[in-house]
Amino acid sequence: MKNIVIGLFFITLGMSYGCTSAHNKNQEAGNEDPEASEVTFKGILKVLSLNTWHQGESVDGGFDAIVDIILQTEADVVMLCEIRNSNNIIFSTKITNELKKRGGDYHSFNSGKSPIILSKYPIVSRPTIHSTSLTKCIIKLNESAQLAVYSSHLDYTHYACYLPRGYDGITWEKLPEPISDLSAILAQNKASARDEAIELFVKDAAIEKEKGNMVLLAGDFNEPSHLDWTLETKDLFDHNGMVVPWHCSKILEAHDYVDAYRTKYPDPVSYPGHTWAAYNKDVELSKLVWTPEADDRDRIDFIYYNKDFRLTLEDIIIVGPSGSIVNGQGVEDNTLLDKFLLPQGKWPSDHKGLLATFKID
């Protein structure tokens, strides 16, 4: 969860025509584009989003676990954040090479220490956005359709959803009592850089939509959704009676972006979809606990898409362990109905990921 990088990445998926020229342009720009085989688009697109917990380095064997879960999900597009290119090794190159050894052919590009995108479809260009919060590249699905995919990792500071739980969202210290002043909660949330990043996304994505492109946005927002902090959940998960119109989800809703998980599962009580904090049995419990006297389960990892008649959500599931951290302990809540794709081996992260399946006409 905690990472000072704020990033949004953009990618568009493409067929084989014109890819040789684009490949050369990417190489000239210093981008990584391994010689992955070109895949014919079949109309179904699987999208995986995961916070890697410092590219898997927080878990013994975490890098291999990231590779394992990508192969297990058979995702066409993979968005990974908390990438830091340790030891001056470009992570996007490292992971695409390892995937290729194991039969998974993906393209990527050198995105520095920000979120990275892997794609089974060739990347044809990477236009520049004059902002430290956004990077983008372009790929085409077919002659008539392009898909713009933005990968995000938003500001972790001013983590206001901890205030109602009795913890300070800046210092992480326990408060004398939970904060129930909605204006104070929203003020701290607005003081983060998350809403600015989402506004930048909305502005840039509007240009892509004007071009006729479909849009996806995914990643670790470090902020909950207003669709989860409702009247129905005000007395659950240590919300302590609060109904909160969280900024980022409200901005996206106002601009006709659809929350994939909450669209598939509109009931936040039976299907809360918690992605934080994952109970990872492969690491010491102390590494997973931030608020030992609170239930800080929340849904802070998202996949959004714009309303477009060509783009249909077929399914979405949580990827990772089913257990969560509650009051400083790892627990299983068998009363919840969320569906999981459990890892076959180790889990690399303190987050859970998402796997969405879309049908594109």
Side-chain angles (χ1 to χ4, degrees), residues 1-7 54 82 153-157 222:
M1 176 181 67
K2 296 178 173 54
N3 191 311
I4 60 173
V5 174
I6 304 170
H54 302 300
E82 285 203 13
H153 189 195
L154 305 187
D155 184 7
Y156 77 87
T157 64
N222 280 316

Side-chain angles (χ1 to χ4, degrees), residues 98-113:
E98 184 61 30
L99 284 162
K100 188 174 181 63
K101 290 178 184 177
R102 296 170 57 178
D105 287 336
Y106 288 87
H107 297 265
S108 187
F109 56 92
N110 180 359
S111 55
K113 295 183 180 181

Side-chain angles (χ1 to χ4, degrees), residues 179-241:
I179 301 297
S180 58
D181 181 347
L182 180 60
S183 62
I185 294 168
L186 290 177
Q188 185 175 108
N189 195 61
K190 196 78 162 65
S192 77
R194 292 185 291 272
D195 55 309
E196 288 89 347
I198 291 298
E199 291 283 9
L200 285 167
F201 157 75
V202 167
K203 182 178 179 180
D204 190 81
I207 298 171
E208 297 305 324
K209 288 194 291 183
E210 287 176 2
K211 296 176 183 177
N213 295 338
M214 296 169 285
V215 177
L216 295 179
L217 167 68
D220 174 7
F221 280 25
N222 280 316
E223 180 178 311
S225 168
H226 72 284
L227 299 176
D228 299 333
W229 285 63
T230 65
L231 285 171
E232 293 77 15
T233 63
K234 68 182 181 62
D235 298 317
L236 300 175
F237 316 124
D238 274 0
H239 291 189
N240 283 315

Side-chain angles (χ1 to χ4, degrees), residues 261 264-265 270-275 314-322 336-342 352-355:
Y261 198 82
K264 179 72 174 178
Y265 303 109
S270 297
Y271 296 89
H274 297 137
T275 61
E314 296 281 292
D315 197 15
I316 184 168
I317 58 176
I318 301 170
V319 180
S322 56
L336 305 180
L337 301 179
D338 297 305
K339 297 179 181 178
F340 290 85
L341 177 65
L342 301 175
K352 305 174 190 186
L354 292 169
L355 178 67

Side-chain angles (χ1 to χ4, degrees), residues 230-261:
T230 65
L231 285 171
E232 293 77 15
T233 63
K234 68 182 181 62
D235 298 317
L236 300 175
F237 316 124
D238 274 0
H239 291 189
N240 283 315
M242 298 305 301
V243 177
V244 184
W246 297 106
H247 290 101
C248 290
S249 60
K250 292 294 288 185
I251 293 169
L252 290 167
E253 183 180 71
H255 288 86
D256 290 330
Y257 288 96
V258 180
D259 180 334
Y261 198 82

